[in-house]
Amino acid sequence: MFGYLRAYILIGVAAAGGGEVAGWDEGLMVTFAFITQSLLAGTGAFGEQELAERIRSGDVVVDLYRPVDVQLWWLASWSGRSAYTFGSRGIPPMLLGAVVFDLRVPPDAATWIVFALSVVLASGIGFAIRFAANLVAFWLLDSRGVDQLVTLVLTFFGGLLVPIVLFPPWLEAVARLLPFAAMAQVPAEVFLGLHPGRGALTALATQLAWFVALLALGRVMLGAATRKVVIQGG
Amino acid sequence: MASTDQPAIVADHLEKTFAVRHRAGRLRRHRIEVRAVDGVSFRVDPGEMVGYLGPNGAGKSTTIKMLTGILTPSGGSLATLGLDPTRHRTELAQRIGVVFGQRTQLWWDLPLADSFELLHHVYRTDRRRHEENLGSFVELLDMSSFMLTPVRQLSLGQRMRGELTAALLHDPALVVLDEPTIGLDIVSKLAVREFLVNLNRERGTTVLLTTHDLDDVEHLCQRMMIIDHGRVIHDGGVAEFKSTYGTHRTVVVDLVDAAPPLDVLGTMVTRVDGPRQRLRFDRSTTTAAQVIAGIVEEAAISDLSIEDLVRQVYDAGG
Amino acid sequence: MGDVRSMLTTYRHLVGAKIRSDWQYRTSFVRYLLSQTVVTALDLAVILVLSEVVPSLGGWNLSQVAVLYGLTTLSFGLGDLFVSQVETVATHIQLGTFDRFLLRPLPTIVQLPASEFALRRVGRSIPAIITLVVALSMAEIDWTVDRLALVPMTVVAGTIIFGAVWVVTASISFWAVGAREVANSFTYGGGFAHQHPLHVYSRWVRTLLGWILPMAFIAYVPAVHLLEAPNPLGIPSWLALTPPLVAIAAVVVARTVWRAGIRNHQSTGT
């Protein structure tokens, strides 16, 4: 439902701009409305509290003593679920959209491959952010607020409400500097073929950089948390 | 108001069937009709205290839900305090009290006293009558020490006393109690029993209670009904019930291999299902220990259990 | 009448009890209140962002769309505050706790919203009221007495219509417990859709979210008249006076559907 509503609003915007706004025509706008709806599911945009629950209950100590890396362990479980939700909740919005509109689908295999990689990286960034946000539970009793904050900021700056290209230039610049664009706006642009040739590599590289940087942040936080747990004796 | 000599409950060939869907294969679904209550008839008079027994899934809860207006019967007729329960649900709610042992009707995060105050508003009871009732229940159930404790922090026994009070503050003519003593420690169990006997004697409140605990029934009820597979298989006095089934016990034994009926002194084999045999014995002539010793001499066994009174009745009825 | 009054008293006590319960979890209360406020404000941010790139949406300028946003979101917020709790019926049926409501001498449709009342939901109405006041003063409205009266009337009727839609969509749970998401896509979808002029949507969306679920009467229909805004659908101006009638009809329908749902629950027991 939301995909359709946003599609029609964006059509209205394109029409008011004389068929094209910020270089985006109706076809781009409509496809954007549905592809971001699909990306919502796979990137965990609705929040994630499982790890924080384990921290609150103290079960996390068990995870810390397991002979596998805690972050990788959660990444593995995230990947599985993410793949599943992307299939079950990511594909239907596109199909529903295609019933009413002519969606702009990548014409060549190369774009599809880049898009697939981009989605994987987007999901990875989603994981890294949520992992860090969940770890806050080691220090704050009520870490749900952080998780909700991430969701809100992501919704707006990730381009899930309106494409960030429609933002005023200064705001778009801010959005491009944040990791959230790399979770929705960027993969959507890749899908729409707005990063042709070399641009695709730049887009993927940016995403990869965010993924690595946020994973590192999580790792630093995990280290600090582990020291805290060890000192306090669990 | 209903006159006092009007029956509290009249059920006549009461039926309830559910359509249960279950998957068969990828897309096909079977609809199966399940008869949870299959032609139950009984009458409860005002002031009676009746025990309603039966194994899980026998139809106890379904009957209670119909009596209280939660479920509509699929057949037969039913009157609770002279009213059709589903049609006059809210009117009936004003005149009955219900306790579901497993589910609370109290406000989880508020002090017990607040729940009672809220119920005063929900049932729109007279203020003076409310205070009077509350005072006497607090005393009888010894609740004064935890009236200001949030319900979520109460022990099960304390909570159950709160639940009973909550169900009775509006002076119901009939109370229906579903497993009121389940999981209670012995002190609370005795307190609850004493309270119910007192309630029935002093106020003439009609009580229908379901339980798994035969002890409850022995201490509380003059009459018991047993239901199994949706049918009433026993309805009569508790004393009479005990004299029929009281001294007999059944040993269920699983043998390693199927064998002809065992010949053990003082017992009689009542049923053989492959390697499983049931042996009935009279406690006044022999003991369980002797019987088991006798069985072990006769054959190799893999499992053995002794069934209680009620189970035997189910078998007799089923 | 005495009956209604004593029911209101009971309602007030039940709501009071819920607020006292929730207040024990203060941090989570404040957190939800804030996030509800911000979520709602984000929808406004979208409108502001779009107004920067294009001068008008469907021919309506910023202050006109903002009035629409204010009316819709205020009614939605109040409906969310007072009625939306009926959707918890799905959870209660699944947990088996719905029986408790059936065993009390009060209509379930009064008990559920009272017992599940969540003050934190007031967060949605805050940006709505502010926007409505600011937008009305900016919108160059030719204020006459009837136009002045139209605003509070629309908010009250709109709240009731949203409430009725909530009751109808929540009733789906009596037949299909898992259908909560479908139900939400109508209520939340409607709350979002009507922040923008109805005529930007295609015919099937307008029919479904505007007229079958009569949410066009919450804001769009009266706003066309109030603002004398572009009216490509040709809404006659007398229609602006009908929201109270639509609200009454919606309540009657909602009550019927809810009762049918209760009856179905009583016969299936699921």
Side-chain angles (χ1 to χ4, degrees):
Chain A
M1 185 56 81
F2 280 93
Y4 286 121
L5 297 175
R6 288 168 54 230
Y8 286 117
I9 293 168
L10 290 174
I11 290 174
V13 172
E20 201 179 277
V21 175
W24 283 42
D25 63 11
E26 200 183 295
L28 280 185
M29 298 264 199
V30 168
T31 310
F32 183 87
F34 288 100
I35 190 72
T36 47
Q37 204 73 18
S38 294
L39 288 166
L40 268 179
T43 52
F46 298 113
E48 166 66 42
Q49 278 288 295
E50 203 182 325
L51 175 58
E53 284 304 335
R54 287 184 74 80
I55 294 171
R56 269 190 289 278
S57 68
D59 290 346
V60 72
V61 178
V62 180
D63 302 348
L64 290 176
Y65 284 117
R66 246 189 288 232
V68 282
D69 184 85
V70 175
Q71 199 177 26
L72 285 180
W73 167 275
W74 282 94
L75 178 58
S77 115
W78 171 280
S79 310
R81 267 178 306 158
S82 174
Y84 173 75
T85 40
F86 194 71
S88 66
R89 307 186 135 212
I91 294 175
M94 285 303 279
L95 293 179
L96 285 172
V99 171
V100 176
F101 299 103
D102 250 344
L103 297 184
R104 208 160 288 179
V105 178
D108 50 51
T111 315
W112 275 109
I113 292 166
V114 176
F115 174 66
L117 288 172
S118 182
V119 169
V120 169
L121 284 169
S123 168
I125 297 169
F127 163 77
I129 290 183
R130 299 289 174 183
F131 185 77
N134 272 250
L135 285 180
V136 173
F138 274 112
W139 292 275
L140 284 181
L141 205 60
D142 191 25
S143 69
R144 280 196 200 87
V146 180
D147 203 49
Q148 276 172 3
L149 186 72
V150 169
T151 303
L152 291 178
V153 177
L154 165 66
T155 318
F156 190 72
F157 284 107
L160 292 168
L161 291 172
V162 280
I164 62 174
V165 293
L166 299 184
F167 285 4
W170 64 271
L171 196 60
E172 185 185 348
V174 171
R176 294 267 176 211
L177 283 175
L178 295 172
F180 307 103
M183 288 173 66
Q185 177 78 28
V186 172
E189 286 172 352
V190 168
F191 187 84
L192 295 170
L194 297 175
H195 293 284
R198 281 256 173 112
L201 292 180
T202 320
L204 290 180
T206 319
Q207 283 186 298
L208 186 64
W210 274 119
F211 180 48
V212 172
L214 288 163
L215 274 186
L217 173 69
R219 195 143 278 269
V220 170
M221 286 175 72
L222 185 66
T226 312
R227 273 192 300 282
K228 183 168 172 281
V229 170
V230 171
I231 289 164
Q232 290 178 351
Chain B
M1 280 304 283
S3 63
T4 44
D5 50 288
Q6 183 187 46
I9 304 167
V10 185
D12 189 21
H13 292 94
L14 196 58
E15 276 178 29
K16 183 71 197 175
T17 51
F18 295 109
V20 179
R21 288 191 192 86
H22 78 137
R23 274 163 204 262
R26 196 165 285 267
L27 286 170
R28 279 186 309 141
R29 284 184 178 195
H30 272 307
R31 269 172 67 105
I32 295 180
E33 292 252 299
V34 176
R35 282 178 177 272
V37 173
D38 189 7
V40 164
S41 302
F42 63 90
R43 173 194 165 109
V44 176
D45 283 318
E48 269 197 291
M49 213 162 176
V50 179
Y52 194 38
L53 288 82
N56 289 329
K60 267 181 311 180
S61 301
T62 308
T63 314
I64 285 182
K65 285 181 177 178
M66 287 193 281
L67 295 177
T68 52
I70 294 173
L71 285 176
T72 320
S74 4
S77 73
L78 177 64
T80 308
L81 300 174
L83 298 170
D84 174 343
T86 27
R87 189 168 310 155
H88 300 281
R89 196 188 73 240
T90 41
E91 199 183 324
L92 187 62
Q94 191 75 47
R95 292 168 53 198
I96 60 173
V98 184
V99 174
F100 285 118
Q102 321 270 40
R103 295 202 185 112
T104 186
Q105 57 163 327
L106 302 166
W107 278 258
W108 201 240
D109 288 317
L110 296 180
L112 194 53
D114 286 26
S115 284
F116 299 147
E117 178 62 21
L118 282 162
L119 288 167
H120 158 63
H121 292 288
V122 169
Y123 285 91
R124 287 167 262 182
T125 43
D126 175 65
R127 171 55 74 183
R128 268 189 46 204
R129 184 70 190 145
H130 173 81
E131 299 292 345
E132 230 174 81
N133 275 339
L134 187 56
S136 90
F137 293 148
V138 167
E139 199 193 313
L140 285 170
L141 288 167
D142 195 20
M143 297 192 297
S144 50
S145 62
F146 53 86
M147 282 291 278
L148 296 178
T149 312
V151 173
R152 62 166 191 272
Q153 291 169 15
L154 296 181
S155 72
L156 190 60
Q158 292 172 331
R159 212 196 78 203
M160 185 50 70
R161 287 182 250 178
E163 302 282 355
L164 277 174
T165 305
L168 293 166
L169 277 171
H170 57 287
D171 282 322
L174 166 70
V175 283
V176 179
L177 310 169
D178 193 17
E179 305 280 358
T181 58
I182 197 164
L184 295 191
D185 60 278
I186 192 73
V187 179
S188 300
K189 202 179 256 190
L190 293 178
V192 166
R193 278 185 198 158
E194 193 189 324
F195 175 76
L196 290 174
V197 169
N198 186 49
L199 176 86
N200 176 254
R201 197 173 46 218
E202 304 290 318
R203 300 182 181 227
T205 309
T206 313
V207 179
L208 179 72
L209 76 118
T210 75
T211 179
H212 275 106
D213 188 341
L214 263 184
D215 248 22
D216 277 349
V217 180
E218 268 189 79
H219 285 91
L220 293 171
C221 307
Q222 301 89 44
R223 174 180 163 198
M224 59 194 282
M225 296 191 297
I226 301 178
I227 185 171
D228 196 26
H229 299 297
R231 291 169 180 275
V232 172
I233 55 175
H234 173 90
D235 185 353
V238 174
E240 171 202 334
F241 171 78
K242 278 183 69 183
S243 69
T244 314
Y245 297 96
T247 61
H248 285 93
R249 289 285 183 279
T250 295
V251 176
V252 182
V253 58
D254 289 330
L255 304 174
V256 176
D257 298 302
L262 297 175
D263 182 20
V264 177
L265 186 70
T267 69
M268 202 184 90
V269 174
T270 52
R271 197 190 289 182
V272 180
D273 300 317
R276 170 171 292 186
Q277 300 198 6
R278 290 164 181 275
L279 290 81
R280 200 157 114 127
F281 66 98
D282 188 338
R283 272 199 308 172
S284 57
T285 57
T286 183
T287 66
Q290 284 173 332
V291 171
I292 294 166
I295 293 171
V296 175
E297 270 178 31
E298 285 284 315
I301 65 170
S302 65
D303 196 16
L304 180 144
S305 64
I306 300 180
E307 284 184 343
D308 71 4
L309 231 53
V310 175
R311 188 69 244 172
Q312 293 182 56
V313 186
Y314 302 150
D315 290 338
Chain C
M1 256 350 252
D3 219 38
V4 173
R5 266 187 58 189
S6 80
M7 203 183 282
L8 279 177
T9 313
T10 310
Y11 177 84
R12 226 183 48 229
H13 280 102
L14 289 173
V15 168
K18 184 62 173 25
I19 293 176
R20 267 179 290 144
S21 296
D22 286 349
W23 192 238
Q24 297 177 27
Y25 308 95
R26 247 153 291 185
T27 46
S28 113
F29 174 84
V30 172
R31 171 161 50 77
Y32 274 102
L33 182 72
L34 283 178
S35 78
Q36 298 257 297
T37 311
V38 176
V39 164
T40 313
L42 280 183
D43 287 340
L44 179 65
V46 168
I47 291 171
L48 292 173
V49 164
L50 294 184
S51 79
E52 285 281 314
V53 274
V54 288
S56 70
L57 186 63
W60 288 35
N61 64 31
L62 173 61
S63 55
Q64 289 169 328
V65 175
V67 168
L68 204 54
Y69 166 89
L71 285 174
T72 300
T73 311
L74 184 54
S75 292
F76 182 80
L78 294 175
D80 190 44
L81 181 63
F82 291 111
V83 189
S84 70
Q85 297 82 0
V86 289
E87 70 168 354
T88 59
V89 70
T91 322
H92 283 298
I93 289 175
Q94 274 168 332
L95 296 176
T97 44
F98 189 63
D99 294 353
R100 185 181 74 200
F101 296 97
L102 291 171
L103 287 171
R104 287 193 180 143
L106 263 186
T108 47
I109 199 132
V110 176
Q111 282 188 69
L112 266 180
S115 304
E116 300 286 341
F117 188 85
L119 187 60
R120 57 171 188 257
R121 289 172 186 249
V122 78
R124 285 187 189 277
S125 304
I126 297 168
I129 291 186
I130 297 171
T131 311
L132 185 60
V133 172
V134 174
L136 282 174
S137 61
M138 280 169 43
E140 291 168 17
I141 296 168
D142 176 17
W143 285 109
T144 55
V145 177
D146 62 317
R147 287 212 169 103
L148 210 55
L150 190 63
V151 175
M153 185 196 82
T154 301
V155 171
V156 172
T159 302
I160 295 172
I161 294 172
F162 258 130
V165 170
W166 238 301
V167 170
V168 170
T169 52
S171 301
I172 298 173
S173 301
F174 286 117
W175 288 275
V177 171
R180 194 166 172 163
E181 268 181 60
V182 181
N184 277 347
S185 75
F186 289 118
T187 48
Y188 286 87
F192 174 69
H194 292 281
Q195 293 172 348
H196 302 273
L198 188 63
H199 55 263
V200 304
Y201 304 109
S202 69
R203 186 182 206 98
W204 71 269
V205 176
R206 294 200 304 262
T207 312
L208 181 64
L209 294 182
W211 311 113
I212 295 180
L213 297 172
M215 294 189 278
F217 293 91
I218 287 167
Y220 182 74
V221 167
V224 165
H225 172 67
L226 182 73
L227 304 166
E228 295 174 279
N231 182 10
L233 298 178
I235 307 283
S237 65
W238 59 264
L239 214 56
L241 298 173
T242 56
L245 300 176
V246 175
I248 292 168
V251 167
V252 172
V253 171
R255 211 173 115 115
T256 313
V257 174
W258 182 262
R259 285 191 173 176
I262 298 265
R263 269 201 304 280
N264 181 68
H265 175 70
Q266 286 177 321
S267 62
T268 57
T270 44

